Amino acid sequence: FSSISAIAVDTHNGDCWVSDRWYRSLHRIDTEGEIQRLGAALEAGGDLVIDTPSRQGWIADRLTFEVFSFDLDAQGDTLLLTEIDGTFSDQVELAVQSGYLWIADPAGERVLLYDPQGLRVAEWSGLAGLIQIDASASGHGAWVLAADGLELLRLEPGQAPLEVFMPFIDPAVALDVGDVRGDVWVAGAGDVVAYFDSGVPILHWDNVPDTQDIAIDESSEHVWIAASTQLWKFSLQGQQPTQLTGFTQTLEIVVHAGGG
């Protein structure tokens, strides 16, 4: 790959989907390691999310700033993309939930919610400094890092944003929401904190240095934490850490929940 934008996993069959900045296509990698390149009407691949139950994927174009849906079970070597009802002036971040699509639009300082047909159903404005968004497959809301990582907000349709206190000295850098219970895990530069879906704190680990990304696997009771050149796996209680080293630079972790 020339320059990977995003990866996402189809938990139905374990396929890994890859979006690349320099390809007008998507790549699908099966569990045997076979790669299929699927042509698509994209200028450049951007953020990518997979909604396994609805058999639908969503892809953002990094150059045109459009967002499209596509069929995960499409046959042949070309994907048919369906554009959603939205206009953006810069890159966006995506999250998916039970067929619904959440979009964090940093340039517009807003978060939008779309139904499975690509129609807008809700919007939250005035959210400056958006850096990441995620949602639980089993929940009804989404979590975002705003104010360049200084604010953690929970968004739910029909309600104002709920800010949750983070015990970090420095801004948060990443978050991930579990698909089983809906717990949210947030990584700071040297700390990790977890909350229930309601925003009630669960735990706080300090002395976790150089954190770049975090991924929660509630099914297997593990949390993965990436530093610049290494990867840690902990139990959800912080026990039995496993360390993987030898990476040039870690950027993003995606977990096949209950798989690997």
Side-chain angles (χ1 to χ4, degrees):
F1 298 101
S2 302
S3 182
I4 292 176
S5 291
I7 58 176
V9 174
D10 181 351
T11 56
H12 171 69
N13 52 25
D15 286 352
C16 178
W17 290 76
V18 181
S19 167
D20 192 291
R21 292 174 176 88
W22 302 113
Y23 282 102
R24 299 184 66 182
S25 60
L26 291 175
H27 293 77
R28 181 169 55 195
I29 308 172
D30 65 22
T31 54
E32 302 299 322
E34 294 293 325
I35 302 177
Q36 182 183 11
R37 182 176 175 182
L38 300 169
L42 294 169
E43 293 299 322
D47 200 17
L48 166 72
V49 289
I50 298 297
D51 184 32
T52 294
S54 71
R55 309 306 301 146
Q56 188 169 224
W58 306 82
I59 177 74
D61 193 309
R62 288 179 60 87
L63 292 184
T64 66
F65 314 129
E66 298 165 307
V67 178
F68 305 92
S69 64
F70 62 90
D71 182 1
L72 294 180
D73 300 316
Q75 301 298 311
D77 58 4
T78 302
L79 289 174
L80 176 62
L81 302 182
T82 302
E83 186 177 358
I84 70 164
D85 177 24
T87 302
F88 307 96
S89 60
D90 209 332
Q91 297 175 41
V92 296
E93 299 293 327
L94 311 178
V96 71
Q97 182 177 63
S98 302
Y100 285 76
L101 177 70
W102 293 84
I103 300 180
D105 177 15
E109 298 185 349
R110 58 182 181 164
V111 170
L112 307 107
L113 178 62
Y114 287 82
D115 68 15
Q117 288 71 46
L119 299 177
R120 187 184 308 180
V121 295
E123 178 177 344
W124 295 260
S125 59
L127 305 179
L130 293 169
I131 63 172
Q132 195 168 5
I133 185 169
D134 197 21
S136 171
S138 60
H140 301 285
W143 291 87
V144 296
L145 288 175
D148 297 319
L150 294 175
E151 294 179 354
L152 173 65
L153 305 175
R154 188 180 189 279
L155 305 180
E156 187 168 346
Q159 298 187 19
L162 171 67
E163 183 175 358
V164 176
F165 170 76
M166 293 186 293
F168 299 157
I169 297 176
D170 299 313
V173 297
L175 63 77
D176 191 46
V177 182
D179 286 330
V180 178
R181 294 185 300 272
D183 300 342
V184 58
W185 289 66
V186 186
D191 303 63
V192 170
V193 65
Y195 303 90
F196 292 112
D197 184 56
S198 61
V200 174
I202 300 174
L203 56 82
H204 176 205
W205 300 339
D206 54 13
N207 298 318
V208 186
D210 196 27
T211 305
Q212 304 293 315
D213 199 14
I214 190 167
I216 175 68
D217 182 356
E218 292 176 329
S219 297
S220 298
E221 298 286 319
H222 291 139
V223 59
W224 297 80
I225 301 172
S228 293
T229 60
Q230 57 189 353
L231 184 65
W232 294 89
K233 182 177 76 171
F234 292 86
S235 73
L236 296 189
Q237 293 74 39
Q239 302 169 340
Q240 300 175 346
T242 299
Q243 183 183 20
L244 303 176
T245 60
F247 300 101
T248 303
Q249 182 181 11
T250 56
L251 297 175
E252 182 180 6
I253 319 168
V254 176
V255 175
H256 179 189

